[in-house]
Amino acid sequence: MERVPVLKIGEILLVSIQIDMEDQVALQLQEDLAERIVATGVRGVIIDISALDIVDSFVGRTLATIASVSRVLDAETVVVGMRPAVAITLVELGLSLPGIRTALNVDLGIAMLARQDEDIDLLGYEDDTDQVAETTP
Amino acid sequence: MNDDVQRLPVVTDQDVVRVRQLVRTVAVAVKLSLVDQTKLVTAASELARNTLVYGGGGEAEVSRVHNDRRAGIRIVFADQGPGIADLDLALTDGYTTGGGLGLGLSGARRLVDEFEIETEPGKGTTITVVKWCR
Ligand SMILES: Nc1ncnc2c1ncn2[C@@H]1O[C@H](COP(=O)(O)OP(=O)(O)OP(=O)(O)O)[C@@H](O)[C@H]1O
Ligand SMILES: [Mg+2]
């Protein structure tokens, strides 16, 4: 059985799906990703589907599950590169992919994840200044 | 009237991939638009998976068809599985007996131009879909 590679690039995991996945391959990817998130401690996952010429209910459901599982493991998933014809078909199929964040390409996906990590840092910084303000006479 | 009938078994996960690829090839040959190709291949993927998972396996038959005005593709999915007892229910968005999303059958119907089901409990299910060029 083929396997979709999961690459660690900086602080994110990047998955670029280049094959027409049989169902077992999609399920394997779901497992591999969960394990890699835990093993690497990354906070962001990007799944590039620009090579996919269809997303059916099985792949759609797998992407949604990956997003939920990674969120439970403290990582955000962004699905990038969906083709226009795939988007039109998904909506007509009735699959709106709730809970999945999307971006047009890998760069915008990375920017989205970076913004989110920045927000978290900013919150930490604000807490610090509050404390300083309280202890200052 | 039709020509070029191609049959594929639908018995494994890999067969579902082969059905998608064959339908894509024929859809390109018939010159369906890109969006219509995508819709038809997606519908075929849903129906082939149902044939495998619920029908216990079966066969897909892909053929080019034409009437006096247009060319199109017809795909027939046939299995000798348990059949579908309540068709209206099975065609309802969200209805599933297999822990899916319950979108395959109802969604596939929306994605094609013609959709026909013949099913009999204990005998099996045959689903015929057609997509015409615009
Ligand atoms: N070939 C078939 N033989 C017997 N029952 C079928 C067949 N195809 C579909 N069904 C029944 O119809 C129900 C609805 O099918 P549908 O494809 O819409 O949903 P699903 O396969 O359960 O989920 P999804 O396709 O969204 O992953 C199935 O759960 C199954 O009970
Ligand atoms: Mg289904």
Side-chain angles (χ1 to χ4, degrees):
Chain A
M1 194 176 73
E2 292 167 291
R3 221 168 168 137
V4 177
V6 178
L7 307 176
K8 181 167 182 288
I9 296 181
E11 288 309 302
I12 62 164
L13 293 179
L14 176 66
V15 179
S16 181
I17 304 174
Q18 296 290 334
I19 53 168
D20 188 339
M21 294 185 291
E22 48 181 285
D23 293 359
Q24 282 306 319
V25 175
L27 292 176
Q28 184 68 51
L29 171 61
Q30 191 177 305
E31 274 177 41
D32 289 349
L33 254 179
E35 272 166 28
R36 287 294 295 280
I37 290 169
V38 171
T40 58
V42 298
R43 306 285 314 277
V45 176
I46 294 200
I47 303 180
D48 181 2
I49 60 166
S50 58
L52 291 190
D53 55 21
I54 70 153
V55 170
D56 64 10
S57 68
F58 193 89
V59 170
R61 178 156 43 117
T62 305
L63 292 175
T65 306
I66 286 174
S68 309
V69 169
S70 62
R71 198 163 296 139
V72 172
L73 298 173
D74 200 23
E76 266 307 309
T77 300
V78 184
V79 172
V80 307
M82 185 183 293
R83 298 183 184 185
V86 171
I88 291 169
T89 301
L90 265 183
V91 169
E92 199 158 328
L93 186 64
L95 207 68
S96 51
L97 299 182
I100 296 192
R101 303 175 70 186
T102 57
L104 289 183
N105 57 44
V106 174
D107 286 347
L108 291 172
I110 290 175
M112 191 182 260
L113 290 173
R115 262 200 313 280
Q116 149 210 299
D117 254 1
E118 210 173 84
D119 288 348
I120 292 163
D121 284 342
L122 271 177
L123 277 179
Y125 177 73
E126 272 167 17
D127 282 347
D128 282 355
T129 48
D130 279 349
Q131 273 177 353
V132 172
E134 272 165 23
T135 52
T136 306
Chain B
M1 185 184 155
N2 64 312
D3 43 63
D4 287 336
V5 182
Q6 286 178 274
R7 284 193 184 77
L8 285 178
V10 184
V11 181
T12 66
D13 267 4
Q14 188 58 43
D15 290 337
V16 176
V17 176
R18 287 196 193 98
V19 169
R20 286 201 288 262
Q21 286 165 352
L22 174 62
V23 171
R24 166 74 65 181
T25 306
V26 178
V28 170
V30 175
K31 298 198 172 67
L32 283 188
S33 74
L34 180 60
V35 169
D36 282 345
Q37 288 172 30
T38 307
K39 288 181 179 180
L40 183 64
V41 175
T42 304
S45 184
E46 296 299 337
L47 297 174
R49 184 178 295 106
N50 282 353
T51 298
L52 175 65
V53 173
Y54 302 110
E59 203 184 56
E61 189 190 282
V62 182
S63 43
R64 296 173 69 155
V65 290
H66 33 261
N67 57 24
D68 38 343
R69 290 198 300 127
R70 299 187 287 187
I73 304 180
R74 178 170 59 215
I75 318 172
V76 182
F77 297 90
D79 65 63
Q80 272 85 53
I84 303 174
D86 189 336
L87 252 188
D88 287 341
L89 198 55
L91 279 164
T92 306
D93 273 0
Y95 175 79
T96 176
T97 60
L101 296 170
L103 288 175
L105 215 50
S106 50
R109 179 159 73 165
R110 283 191 288 271
L111 292 171
V112 297
D113 296 321
E114 293 173 25
F115 185 93
E116 209 179 276
I117 301 188
E118 268 173 72
T119 184
E120 203 179 324
K123 291 255 169 74
T125 303
T126 300
I127 300 184
T128 304
V129 299
V130 180
K131 189 95 182 155
W132 295 107
C133 290
R134 297 203 186 282

